[in-house]
Amino acid sequence: MNAIFLGPPGTGKGTQAERISVELGIAHISTGEMFRQLANEGNPVGVEAKEKYWGKGNLVPDDLTIKLVKERLAKEDCKKGFILDGFPRTIPQAEALDKITKISKVIDIESSEEIIIKRLSNRRQCSKCKKIYGIDVPPKKEGICDICQGKLIQRDDDREEVIRDRLKVYEKQTKPLIKYYKEKLITVDGEQPIDKIKQDIIKAISLK
Ligand code: ADP
Ligand code: ZN
């Protein structure tokens, strides 16, 4: 199973990709997580990508993003299959991906803008284990991770001014992918409860 999870930010792509990859025993590749990690490690290219691009709600340039994904897909754990979460986000990225590997399914998780903004502005992430919390998944103790007791923080790009820019970028640069993948595309309603979304995705990817 080589799947792409598509859809605007804040529809739960990351949460679903994480859970489903564990359940299916395949790799979860989040380009957003890769960029955040590089910046946290102080990697110069990663820090520059944050300052110039993703921290402001803009996409990281295609050449850098494609290079990172290409290296990641060459790793051993991707042989059993993978879920790409947040990649491709532009047509040139999709074209580059077609040259690297074959994609079996594209899952498009959709939500209204109103719900997206509400979700993203309430989203918090564990600074240690990276687990995501939000309106649908609140932590037991405010500000503290249930699993590792790490501190919950707001992502730099989840501030409302940046969220609006990210949505504009999605409309302009990523939405054309829906047409690009129309033969492999299955749309899932992202406004349902998390477990129902998960069921719908699992059903969609088991279809022949
Ligand atoms: P979300 O899906 O919630 O927007 P991600 O964690 O997937 O969050 O991505 C965070 C940011 O990282 C994006 O807004 C974008 O700036 C950058 N990014 C992630 N994936 C890509 C990509 N494939 N191409 C370019 N930039 C990307
Ligand atoms: Zn944690």
Side-chain angles (χ1 to χ4, degrees):
M1 174 51 57
N2 296 343
I4 293 171
F5 284 12
L6 205 67
T11 44
K13 286 192 306 286
T15 304
Q16 297 295 346
E18 177 58 39
R19 294 181 187 199
I20 294 170
S21 63
V22 170
E23 193 164 315
L24 301 182
I26 59 181
H28 172 199
I29 302 169
S30 159
T31 38
E33 208 53 69
M34 286 163 82
F35 290 134
R36 285 188 288 281
Q37 202 180 334
L38 283 175
N40 279 344
E41 286 167 359
N43 172 297
V45 175
V47 172
E48 191 188 328
K50 176 176 176 179
E51 281 166 3
K52 280 191 160 158
Y53 307 109
W54 66 261
K56 295 184 177 158
N58 300 320
L59 294 185
V60 178
D62 284 338
D63 48 356
L64 173 61
T65 309
I66 292 165
K67 180 173 167 271
L68 285 176
V69 172
K70 200 169 173 182
E71 284 167 11
R72 181 65 188 86
L73 285 175
K75 297 212 165 130
E76 191 57 37
D77 66 327
C78 294
K79 297 225 163 73
K80 280 181 288 179
F82 54 80
I83 296 174
L84 278 168
D85 156 19
F87 184 95
R89 255 177 157 98
T90 64
I91 297 279
Q93 290 181 12
E95 288 167 351
L97 182 64
D98 277 341
K99 292 195 189 122
I100 305 171
T101 186
K102 203 171 171 307
I103 296 300
S104 17
K105 289 273 157 58
V106 180
I107 309 294
D108 174 32
I109 312 176
E110 284 296 332
S111 297
S112 69
E113 189 165 317
E114 195 193 326
I115 290 201
I116 289 170
I117 293 177
K118 200 164 130 203
R119 276 201 183 139
L120 289 179
S121 46
N122 286 288
R123 176 160 76 178
R124 298 292 179 272
Q125 188 174 28
C126 174
S127 51
K128 276 202 218 150
C129 75
K130 309 296 170 207
K131 184 176 159 60
I132 296 163
Y133 295 87
I135 308 177
D136 320 285
V137 197
K140 293 206 179 74
K141 236 192 273 168
E142 205 187 312
I144 308 284
C145 177
D146 293 352
I147 297 166
C148 75
Q149 320 304 316
K151 195 172 161 238
L152 303 187
I153 53 173
Q154 182 171 45
R155 261 170 53 178
D156 294 309
D157 54 346
D158 277 349
R159 287 169 292 123
E160 187 150 350
E161 2 31 298
V162 185
I163 293 172
R164 300 217 178 252
D165 288 335
R166 282 162 63 201
L167 287 172
K168 277 188 215 137
V169 167
Y170 173 78
E171 284 295 319
K172 199 163 157 236
Q173 307 205 58
T174 309
K175 224 171 175 182
L177 292 178
I178 290 181
K179 218 180 202 168
Y180 184 90
Y181 285 120
K182 65 178 187 298
E183 268 114 48
K184 295 175 179 171
L185 193 83
I186 299 169
T187 305
V188 169
D189 175 3
E191 296 189 4
Q192 310 177 91
I194 292 183
D195 286 333
K196 178 67 172 59
I197 303 175
K198 184 179 156 204
Q199 276 175 22
D200 283 3
I201 298 175
I202 301 248
K203 209 194 280 167
I205 53 186
S206 356
L207 290 172
K208 282 277 150 58

